[in-house]
Amino acid sequence: MDPLEALVAQIQGLSSSSADIARLHTILKQSDDSLRSNSSRLSPIFSLIDPSIHSLGFLYILDAFTATSVSNRQQAEELVPIITRFISGCSVEQIRLAPEKFIYVCKRLKDQVMLLEAPIRGVAPMFTAVRKLQVSTEHLTPLHAEFLLLCLLAKSYKTGLSILDDDVFEVDHPRDLYLYCYYGGMICIGQKRFQKALDLLHNVVTAPMTMMNAIVIEAYKKYILVSLIRHGQFSTSLPKYCSPLAQRNLKPFCQNPYIEMAHTYSTGKVADLEAFVNSNADKFESDNNLGLAKQVVSSMYKRNIQRLTQTYLTLSLEDIANTVHLNSAKEAEMHVLQMIQDGEIYATINQKDGMVRFLEDPEQYKTCEMIEHIDSSIHRIMALSKKLTATDEQIACDHLYLSK
């Protein structure tokens, strides 16, 4: 019998019990080189085995089949449905026996949908793959970053947010954490969730590192811009727990134009800030940060309007436009309406006489929804406290840590 036919027969016959699958795994590992050398003959096998029953065998065949690079769209069109069907139907117990191969196959799916210029086709399968590979929602897999990248390319930001709400405590590789937080920060920027974006980018900038890398530098650039949007200021002093390498090197890499922009922002002069962004538009554009830099300018208008709420009870739209250097009362109205909608100020606009009345925060912190929100926050903080205590105890007993 042909060795490939014999292997297919073994896959079909040894995929029922745990003992059979363990035996099959040994056979597949021994046949790995042979499968790769016969990759051109593997295509018909996919119709002979079921990914939901013969998951481990299907994975090894698929891994060998995708080992050769696919460079044309026709091959990619044939390959994407096969990988998608496998990810959707495969057995969690079986694929976790060969996690490296599963990760490789999923990354090949990402490559193929990008070759087809259709990243949206990879979003749902990659999300399924992440959940199947995870041992718990606290586990950060190498596929998290791939999933978030596809969400970014497909502009499917809300789908990406679904995975960013998980609290991560276990990381396989440092690079996975860097990319997860960087891409996650970009998705949150796309959804204008600037505080969450700031938290994720902060994690990249302050993560332990032994050498500078491009991910950290790009994250720091966005970190500066998002800090200005969210808080209206930026401090070049990094926390003490930040890597000494980052403390020394990040500022020189981002001095021009990012840190200079923070200095310009601190003057509070909109005209100067707009002129600075326009004169450095090429640099921001080359970093894909021009849109974010323009949002920084817009945030200064909002910041100046917020200052007015601390001084006045009522003010005309014309006066607001003049005070914050907007072109017209209509433009001032657009800004005020957007800020009311986003919950950044509390006010009412009298359309008849063009007056804005600033109000106090209406939240009384006594509704059922607010009580539930506070209660869930307390429980989350308690769970985090337990995690920190357990981690502290674990580190205190670690021989490598103690010897260091």
Side-chain angles (χ1 to χ4, degrees):
M1 183 185 287
D2 180 81
L4 268 182
E5 291 178 10
L7 185 61
V8 170
Q10 287 173 315
I11 290 170
Q12 291 169 332
L14 296 172
S15 294
S16 52
S17 67
S18 299
D20 283 348
I21 290 169
R23 186 178 160 203
L24 175 63
H25 195 196
T26 304
I27 294 168
L28 288 168
K29 283 191 280 189
Q30 292 169 350
S31 306
D32 202 21
D33 291 338
S34 173
L35 284 171
R36 287 173 180 269
S37 62
N38 288 283
S39 60
S40 59
R41 297 176 54 205
L42 298 178
S43 184
I45 296 176
F46 295 121
S47 61
L48 303 176
I49 53 180
D50 186 335
S52 62
I53 301 169
H54 315 112
S55 303
L56 189 62
F58 203 107
L59 176 58
Y60 267 79
I61 302 288
L62 196 52
D63 172 60
F65 184 65
T66 57
T68 54
S69 61
V70 175
S71 56
N72 67 70
R73 295 174 68 92
Q74 185 180 347
Q75 287 177 306
E77 280 288 4
E78 294 170 2
L79 190 55
V80 167
I82 296 172
I83 301 178
T84 301
R85 181 167 66 97
F86 167 70
I87 291 172
S88 175
C90 67
S91 158
V92 172
E93 292 74 19
Q94 290 191 42
I95 59 108
R96 284 186 185 169
L97 293 172
E100 294 84 6
K101 290 191 179 296
F102 184 70
I103 291 165
Y104 173 79
V105 166
C106 292
K107 287 185 176 182
R108 292 297 286 158
L109 172 67
K110 180 208 72 177
D111 295 340
Q112 302 318 306
V113 296
M114 287 176 70
L115 176 64
L116 293 171
E117 298 176 352
I120 191 67
R121 291 177 62 180
V123 171
M126 195 66 77
F127 180 78
T128 303
V130 167
R131 291 307 190 202
K132 288 192 172 185
L133 190 61
Q134 277 184 307
V135 291
S136 76
T137 56
E138 297 176 352
H139 175 215
L140 183 71
T141 72
L143 295 181
H144 274 75
E146 307 290 343
F147 167 70
L148 292 176
L149 176 59
L150 288 173
C151 289
L152 272 172
L153 295 172
K155 292 184 169 55
S156 183
Y157 302 135
K158 285 187 179 178
T159 310
L161 285 175
S162 63
I163 219 163
L164 291 170
D165 288 332
D166 296 337
D167 291 320
V168 171
F169 294 102
E170 301 169 37
V171 180
D172 291 341
H173 306 290
R175 186 172 180 273
D176 299 335
L177 179 67
Y178 287 126
L179 288 173
Y180 167 78
C181 292
Y182 179 63
Y183 293 147
M186 291 174 70
I187 282 174
C188 290
I189 289 168
Q191 287 293 98
K192 297 193 182 298
R193 289 183 55 176
F194 292 116
Q195 185 55 55
K196 178 72 173 175
L198 208 55
D199 293 341
L200 288 164
L201 294 171
H202 181 85
N203 289 342
V204 182
V205 172
T206 59
M209 67 180 85
T210 54
M211 60 187 292
M212 288 300 295
N213 63 72
I215 305 169
V216 177
I217 294 167
E218 293 308 309
Y220 190 59
K221 291 174 182 177
K222 286 181 170 60
Y223 181 67
I224 294 169
L225 298 178
V226 176
S227 294
L228 295 175
I229 293 170
R230 183 73 180 92
H231 298 303
Q233 59 185 7
F234 175 75
S235 171
T236 54
S237 300
L238 291 168
K240 288 183 179 179
Y241 53 80
C242 185
S243 159
L245 196 67
Q247 300 265 18
R248 289 193 306 270
N249 297 308
L250 273 179
K251 189 176 176 182
F253 273 113
C254 304
Q255 181 66 41
N256 183 28
Y258 294 91
I259 292 175
E260 287 183 15
M261 185 175 185
H263 293 321
T264 306
Y265 192 101
S266 65
T267 65
K269 297 177 181 176
V270 177
D272 290 353
L273 186 64
E274 281 187 323
F276 181 86
V277 171
N278 290 333
S279 63
N280 290 278
D282 290 343
K283 292 177 182 175
F284 287 122
E285 183 70 55
S286 65
D287 291 337
N288 293 315
N289 286 330
L290 183 58
L292 201 54
K294 288 180 178 178
Q295 289 186 62
V296 173
V297 176
S298 180
S299 76
M300 181 177 275
Y301 287 116
K302 292 181 179 181
R303 197 78 51 199
N304 291 340
I305 292 172
Q306 281 176 328
R307 289 196 188 100
L308 295 177
T309 68
Q310 298 165 12
T311 310
Y312 300 96
L313 290 175
T314 58
L315 201 61
S316 71
L317 288 167
E318 194 70 45
D319 287 337
I320 291 174
N322 292 333
T323 306
V324 303
H325 305 292
L326 288 164
N327 295 323
S328 64
K330 189 67 180 173
E331 197 174 334
E333 184 181 6
M334 295 293 290
H335 275 279
V336 171
L337 283 171
Q338 188 62 53
M339 291 175 75
I340 293 170
Q341 186 179 329
D342 295 342
E344 294 171 335
I345 60 170
Y346 304 97
T348 58
I349 300 175
N350 187 325
Q351 296 278 0
K352 187 177 179 181
D353 55 15
M355 296 297 291
V356 179
R357 184 178 172 221
F358 299 117
L359 308 171
E360 295 292 326
D361 184 351
E363 180 59 67
Q364 298 296 311
Y365 297 95
K366 59 183 181 183
T367 62
C368 292
E369 292 82 1
M370 181 54 70
I371 291 167
E372 286 176 9
H373 173 71
I374 293 170
D375 186 57
S376 67
S377 296
I378 290 169
H379 279 93
R380 193 159 175 248
I381 290 166
M382 288 169 66
L384 178 60
S385 177
K386 287 179 182 176
K387 283 277 182 188
L388 283 170
T389 303
T391 304
D392 187 51
E393 289 172 356
Q394 186 180 351
I395 290 173
C397 302
D398 186 279
H399 293 297
L400 287 172
Y401 175 77
L402 293 171
S403 62
K404 185 76 173 179

